[in-house]
Amino acid sequence: MDTLNIIGQFAVEGKVKEITPLGEGFINDTYIVRTEGGAPDYILQRKNHYVFPDVPAMMDNIVAVTEHIKRKVADPMRETLTVVDTLDGRHCLQDAEGNWWAVCILIPDTRTYDTADTPELCRQGGIGIGRFQALLSDFDKPLAEVIKGFHNIRWRFTQWDEALAADRAGRVASLQEECGWIEARRDEMLDFWKRFEDGIIPTRVTHNDTKLSNILFDTRTGKVLCAIDLDTVMSSTSLNDVGDAIRSYANATVEDDPQLDRVRLRPEMFEAYMDGYLSERRDTLSDSEKEWLAFAPRYITFEQTLRFLMDYIDGDRYYRIHYPEHNLVRTHSQYRLLQSMEGQYGRMQDIVGRLLEEE
Ligand code: GN1
Ligand code: MG
């Protein structure tokens, strides 16, 4: 694939100097495009159209949301992403092989993190997502559902039941213990989700992939700048954004650590994240959202355990793997984190309760 040819079809400034792969997404392929002179550098992405069946609709979501944010912030070129259109004015491009490509401006003097080493970093991350949600609280255009039932556990259980019945990779028989972890929590998780379906927990514009590495920090101030990777921006519950963030910020290790004694929820990181989040959202959360805040990390960590295990059962079709048992290792590691959250649930509820009382 000729990335130089692809970038040439977008309305970028300056002459391209080099194009290098960036990072390790599970889903998309990402490149940094460096240009000569004073022109900006860019991020070029090949969007995974198996995961995102309608890439143009996804890009319409991203443009609508980023334009809304730009109208409200002090520094619109740094406080959200800027999508670069093609020369003929589209938000993405399909190449001859059917791949979809999109470009945005690389925001200079920024960095991301893979693990949170300090409570201050967690607090900043909480501010980042809290602010993101707050900036979009008056967004009223419909958003496309870019991935059906993304954080909808009822839909995930439908997929799960199908995956077990199909047993595509012939692995189910050897996974009885792991399947039991999922089944034991089915009712509890559906019970939570029903509150969202019934409208008790409100629908909001949410990011849906709030792990630490999707937040950009300003290297000059050390403060949070904005949420990136807006592929999954959709209408859902705010709680999922908090839960997914805690899943990564508060874990003492990476999400696929095979050494399970390193996996645990760090309450001080949970507290710091919640403190930052609530500083932006305290006044706008509904009572039902407040009530379920401490449960949210359990919900998303459960869902992630299910998704990793389901992909292993399916024969590793969704997540990029780096070794044959990778999805099973991810499953065990996420399950250990879930157990750690369950064990500390009372403490997590106390922390949230205390923070909500503070002004
Ligand atoms: C995927 O590719 P990435 O890192 O943005 C996934 C998330 C998972 C995450 C697990 C669209 O995100 O939902 O939480 O992997 N994104 C999609 O690390 O499925
Ligand atoms: Mg993502």
Side-chain angles (χ1 to χ4, degrees), residues 192-313:
F192 163 74
W193 191 247
K194 187 153 189 323
R195 289 175 166 78
F196 175 68
E197 293 169 325
D198 291 347
I200 298 168
I201 294 171
T203 300
R204 312 229 189 229
V205 177
T206 52
H207 181 283
N208 293 301
D209 192 5
T210 50
K211 61 182 179 192
L212 173 59
S213 59
N214 282 338
I215 300 291
L216 217 50
F217 291 82
D218 192 322
T219 48
R220 295 173 306 195
T221 62
K223 292 207 157 52
V224 68
L225 200 51
C226 61
I228 54 171
D229 187 4
L230 303 177
D231 294 355
T232 49
V233 166
M234 281 182 268
S235 297
S236 185
T237 151
S238 306
L239 295 170
N240 287 341
D241 281 355
V242 174
D244 205 16
I246 296 305
R247 183 179 75 77
S248 74
Y249 286 78
N251 190 351
T253 183
V254 290
E255 74 177 3
D256 59 351
D257 195 332
Q259 213 170 300
L260 296 182
D261 56 5
R262 288 199 289 234
V263 181
R264 74 185 171 88
L265 175 107
R266 296 173 296 177
E268 70 283 12
M269 301 297 180
F270 172 74
E271 173 157 2
Y273 188 92
M274 287 302 188
D275 186 36
Y277 178 74
L278 288 173
S279 73
E280 298 284 328
R281 286 297 317 275
R282 185 181 272 104
D283 298 335
T284 50
L285 287 178
S286 70
D287 288 344
S288 57
E289 287 170 313
K290 289 177 186 166
E291 186 185 339
W292 289 91
L293 263 182
F295 185 78
R298 288 170 58 183
Y299 177 83
I300 285 286
T301 307
F302 171 83
E303 183 203 295
Q304 193 64 64
T305 308
L306 182 157
R307 288 172 67 197
F308 283 145
L309 181 56
M310 185 162 72
D311 197 34
Y312 185 68
I313 288 171

Side-chain angles (χ1 to χ4, degrees), residues 44-82:
L44 168 69
Q45 271 195 320
R46 183 171 66 156
K47 302 287 187 180
N48 183 324
H49 59 272
Y50 296 102
V51 169
F52 302 105
D54 189 348
V55 176
M58 173 176 87
M59 294 306 299
D60 286 346
N61 278 1
I62 297 176
V63 169
V65 160
T66 52
E67 283 181 350
H68 185 92
I69 295 176
K70 282 179 191 300
R71 284 194 288 271
K72 299 173 90 175
V73 294
D75 190 348
M77 293 308 287
R78 288 180 68 76
E79 290 180 60
T80 191
L81 294 179
T82 305

